[in-house]
Amino acid sequence: MFGPQRELFARLAEGQSPDALMITCSDSRIDANLITQTKPGELFILRNAGNIVPAWGSNGGEAATVEYALEVLGIKDIIVCGHTHCGAVGAMVAPESVTALPAVRAWLDHAEATRRIMRDSYGALEGQALVDTAVEENVLAQIENLRTHPAVMSRLMRGQLTLHAWVYDIEDGSVHAFSPDVGQFVPVAEAGHGEPEPAERLRRHKVC
Ligand SMILES: [Zn+2]
């Protein structure tokens, strides 16, 4: 694989200037470069179980990655990309399934908002429909967590950053993005470039 791209890597050795930060799940079925049709050097990537961004104050690797992406690399787009059949999101809505996994259980506490939203607003859902909706709500909840990071909020205020909420469908390779215009996830090509606002999300709940 290296041979034909020797020139690219020689150029990348001089430094990186990625177009976007993509925050996605550790799930082995996700290939961030494949989904976005990008090459090495084009995407700054943060991965963990459940594509979670702990709210500001936890001082973990996620906050450091976000801060570096914005302050040093000057990234102007952050994508939070969840996916169908996400085991981490499944555990968010069924916490008893990870009782024997203390580290996982503690990590998922950062997605407590997702769990509560599902409990309080989607009580009638179950099975696959429950997880599918939780995947979407979790992406939106992590967008809200991103806003608590000073570097994010400061750039949003100046119009220098756009946040994107995506869900990748493992079965058919499609990507849906949250559209503030319709308050729903729609095929990414139709989603426009607006970012999800809290008010839009409330509108979406009314739609549901
Ligand atoms: Zn996952």
Side-chain angles (χ1 to χ4, degrees), residues 25-27 29-30 48-51 83 85-89:
C25 187
S26 301
D27 195 298
R29 297 165 292 182
I30 294 175
N48 58 47
N51 39 267
H83 68 100
H85 306 285
C86 182
V89 170

Side-chain angles (χ1 to χ4, degrees), residues 28-51:
S28 64
R29 297 165 292 182
I30 294 175
D31 184 323
N33 290 114
L34 203 60
I35 292 172
T36 53
Q37 299 170 40
T38 50
K39 295 194 286 290
E42 295 181 344
L43 206 57
F44 205 57
I45 303 171
L46 169 60
R47 300 186 70 157
N48 58 47
N51 39 267

Side-chain angles (χ1 to χ4, degrees), residues 168-184:
Y168 169 63
D169 189 315
I170 288 174
E171 275 110 332
D172 63 13
S174 66
V175 174
H176 284 69
F178 185 80
S179 165
D181 294 336
V182 294
Q184 298 278 3

Side-chain angles (χ1 to χ4, degrees), residues 12-24:
L12 290 177
E14 306 290 321
Q16 62 170 331
S17 181
D19 295 324
L21 165 62
M22 186 163 181
I23 300 167
T24 191

Side-chain angles (χ1 to χ4, degrees), residues 26-201:
S26 301
D27 195 298
S28 64
R29 297 165 292 182
I30 294 175
D31 184 323
N33 290 114
L34 203 60
I35 292 172
T36 53
Q37 299 170 40
T38 50
K39 295 194 286 290
E42 295 181 344
L43 206 57
F44 205 57
I45 303 171
L46 169 60
R47 300 186 70 157
N48 58 47
N51 39 267
I52 290 168
V53 184
W56 177 254
S58 66
N59 296 326
E62 288 72 24
T65 302
V66 169
E67 188 173 76
Y68 189 85
L70 298 179
E71 300 284 352
V72 179
L73 299 176
I75 278 173
K76 293 184 169 54
D77 291 272
I78 302 179
I79 302 156
V80 179
C81 183
H83 68 100
T84 57
H85 306 285
C86 182
V89 170
M92 287 174 203
V93 294
E96 68 281 359
S97 64
V98 289
T99 314
L101 304 173
V104 173
R105 203 177 60 229
W107 172 243
L108 295 182
D109 279 348
H110 293 296
E112 173 66 12
T114 304
R115 194 187 68 75
R116 261 177 219 237
I117 287 167
M118 295 312 296
R119 183 195 68 186
D120 298 342
S121 298
Y122 298 97
L125 293 181
E126 55 187 29
Q128 196 60 49
L130 174 66
V131 176
D132 287 348
T133 304
V135 165
E136 293 184 353
E137 287 297 339
N138 182 55
V139 168
L140 294 172
Q142 302 315 317
I143 292 272
E144 299 305 318
N145 281 353
L146 264 176
R147 289 183 211 277
T148 67
H149 291 243
V152 171
M153 184 52 82
S154 173
R155 279 165 179 72
L156 288 174
M157 289 286 289
R158 284 179 283 149
Q160 295 176 345
L161 177 67
T162 306
L163 305 179
H164 307 267
W166 287 9
V167 172
Y168 169 63
D169 189 315
I170 288 174
E171 275 110 332
D172 63 13
S174 66
V175 174
H176 284 69
F178 185 80
S179 165
D181 294 336
V182 294
Q184 298 278 3
F185 281 81
V186 300
V188 68
E190 301 168 16
H193 298 290
E195 65 173 76
E197 291 293 339
E200 298 299 337
R201 189 166 137 192

